[in-house]
Amino acid sequence: MSNDTVRKEPIEGFDDIPGTTLFDAQRARQGYHVNMFCMSLMKAEHRAEFKADEDKYLRKWPMTEEQRKAILERNWGRMIELGGNIYYLSKLFSTDGRSFQFVAATMTGLTQEQYAQMMLNGGRPIDGNRSKSEWAGKENAAAGRTEGQ
Amino acid sequence: MAKIVASVNVSHVPAIGAAWDNGKVSEPYWKPVFAGFDFSKRWIAELRPDVIILVYNDHASAFDANVIPTFALGCAAEFPPADEGWGPRPVPTVIGHPVLASHIAQSVILDEFDLTIINKMDVDHGLTVPLTLMFGQPTAWPCRIIPLAVNVVQFPPPTGNRCWNLGEALKRAVESYPEDLRVVIFGTGGMSHQLQGARAGLINKEWDKRFLDSLAGDGQAARAIQFIEYVRETGSEGIEMVMWLIARGALGKKVREVYRFYHVPCSNTALGHLILENAA
């Protein structure tokens, strides 16, 4: 068997940032077919074909069932966890007519209105959001960290 | 000889391009964003650069998951706007400067920067949004533009110090070109922002301000910042700011701050903008 589950962070602290999946070469391998599917949507005729039958179109790429399910459900956070990268995924949400802000909001546990208001208020503060240790044991930590500490 | 006379640092948020292209410029949300560039438009119109070296990152548009060049220099005669999923932006095709670009490529390779030479490339919002902010919507961009794409999508990207050193190599390359050309270098992207995960929406104004202050000075503090500090303090996409160091490294030791603009929010992002001129 391969050692796909063995992971050594490439830089100290790489995997310590809360609510964040940093995209490195190993994750790029895991998400290769997800990301290449997204790239295909840069052509209008491919977007039309995808919209006509999403499941059929997706079967052209040998991705895992989990990855296909996340795409069909537009579970953006899950796609990122499974090796998708936000700039590749942008081709998919642009095809859907969605913005970066819409997709970012769905990943935070906030409603889109709450998220937009958080940004108008100056964004998510850095204090309390630097390390996984600051989120440990807190329910829905991201949503609870929108105001200054 | 050719000379890099100034740098323009600016964020390249795609929503700015969408707002411009869809006529939302005077809406209350966008008006202060575009107003922040009124001075800059006048400044660059007066300066009349012959060439812009535009440092930006491709957002999985020209380069896909098959090829990931760390530094890629555009040597083509022209670069069409990319279709990023909603059709290409209605902006002019970018006209390159193949002769100067080839000279730069050869010079920096001999200077030990093994960059990738690109002879066919579509350019995405990373390159076209800064042009829109600085020039509005002309029928043609007013000068030649040499794209320099930096990988900041798949980590690790080049270090800030490496970027600075590339900037210094670009300066030597431009200054060894015999034709009298006025060159401006753009360093784009940033400032603090995170587009993914439960921590999306992160903004760190104090950090961003320190970064701007450092670049407006000798830049050495900014040059020493490590990858993990960028992503921890300014968000997973804040790492784009390493590209600002290429532009700063390409100027002389002493610079004069001409203009600064900082605005939150611009979609998910802290919009930063800094114009520096060589003080020598």
Side-chain angles (χ1 to χ4, degrees), chain B:
Chain B
M1 71 174 193
K3 187 168 166 43
I4 299 176
V5 296
S7 71
V8 173
N9 290 121
V10 60
S11 305
H12 56 220
V13 183
I16 294 173
W20 180 274
D21 299 340
N22 293 301
K24 294 180 179 173
V25 174
S26 50
E27 288 185 4
Y29 187 93
W30 289 107
K31 202 172 174 179
V33 170
F34 289 101
F37 291 83
D38 287 346
F39 170 86
S40 313
K41 285 191 180 78
R42 291 195 302 274
W43 171 84
I44 203 156
E46 258 173 51
L47 186 67
R48 287 184 296 108
D50 299 300
V51 180
I52 292 170
I53 298 173
L54 206 152
V55 182
Y56 76 111
N57 65 291
D58 178 77
H59 302 77
S61 302
F63 307 121
D64 61 20
N66 287 330
V67 179
I68 297 128
T70 294
F71 298 115
L73 191 74
C75 295
E78 55 180 59
F79 305 90
D83 182 342
E84 299 177 58
W86 61 89
R89 287 195 63 210
V91 294
T93 290
V94 166
I95 306 301
H97 195 312
V99 181
L100 176 58
S102 304
H103 168 81
I104 291 172
Q106 291 162 45
S107 173
V108 302
I109 287 169
L110 293 173
D111 220 349
E112 303 187 337
F113 280 89
D114 315 312
L115 49 65
T116 302
I117 292 166
I118 305 294
N119 281 312
K120 182 174 166 52
M121 177 165 75
D122 291 355
V123 288
D124 71 13
H125 70 269
L127 185 134
T128 62
V129 164
L131 294 175
T132 296
L133 286 170
M134 295 300 290
F135 296 114
Q137 192 152 18
T139 50
W141 301 122
C143 63
R144 307 292 192 98
I145 294 153
I146 299 175
L148 174 56
V150 180
N151 166 48
V152 292
V153 172
Q154 182 172 311
F155 297 157
T159 65
N161 184 56
R162 182 72 174 158
C163 288
W164 181 289
N165 288 338
L166 176 59
E168 290 186 345
L170 290 171
K171 179 178 193 287
R172 289 189 289 271
V174 168
E175 289 177 357
S176 64
Y177 189 71
E179 190 183 349
D180 283 334
L181 292 174
R182 197 161 36 240
V183 180
V184 172
I185 186 163
F186 280 28
T188 72
M191 295 185 81
S192 54
H193 66 305
Q194 175 153 337
L195 302 175
Q196 52 105 353
R199 200 176 73 138
L202 186 87
I203 299 288
N204 192 339
K205 287 183 188 176
E206 291 73 24
W207 196 100
D208 287 344
K209 181 178 183 305
R210 282 200 302 278
F211 190 77
L212 291 166
D213 289 345
S214 176
L215 290 190
D218 69 6
Q220 295 304 310
R223 179 183 186 173
I225 295 166
Q226 299 294 306
F227 168 84
I228 201 72
E229 179 176 339
Y230 283 104
V231 291
R232 200 189 285 284
E233 295 291 328
T234 75
S236 46
E237 280 66 46
I239 188 63
E240 289 177 345
M241 281 184 273
V242 294
M243 295 185 291
W244 292 36
L245 295 171
I246 296 177
R248 181 62 188 85
L251 296 180
K253 280 199 172 62
K254 286 197 172 162
V255 294
R256 188 170 69 85
E257 180 172 341
V258 175
Y259 183 67
R260 181 190 295 212
F261 176 61
Y262 186 79
H263 178 83
V264 176
C266 184
S267 186
N268 303 286
T269 304
L271 171 70
H273 176 39
L274 183 68
I275 299 178
L276 302 174
E277 287 176 355
N278 269 324

Side-chain angles (χ1 to χ4, degrees), chain A residues 103-127:
Chain A
V103 170
T106 67
M107 288 189 271
T108 60
L110 298 171
T111 67
Q112 204 187 344
E113 292 70 27
Q114 287 171 328
Y115 182 87
Q117 191 59 50
M118 175 182 79
M119 295 315 299
L120 287 169
N121 294 346
R124 185 184 306 283
I126 185 65
D127 288 341

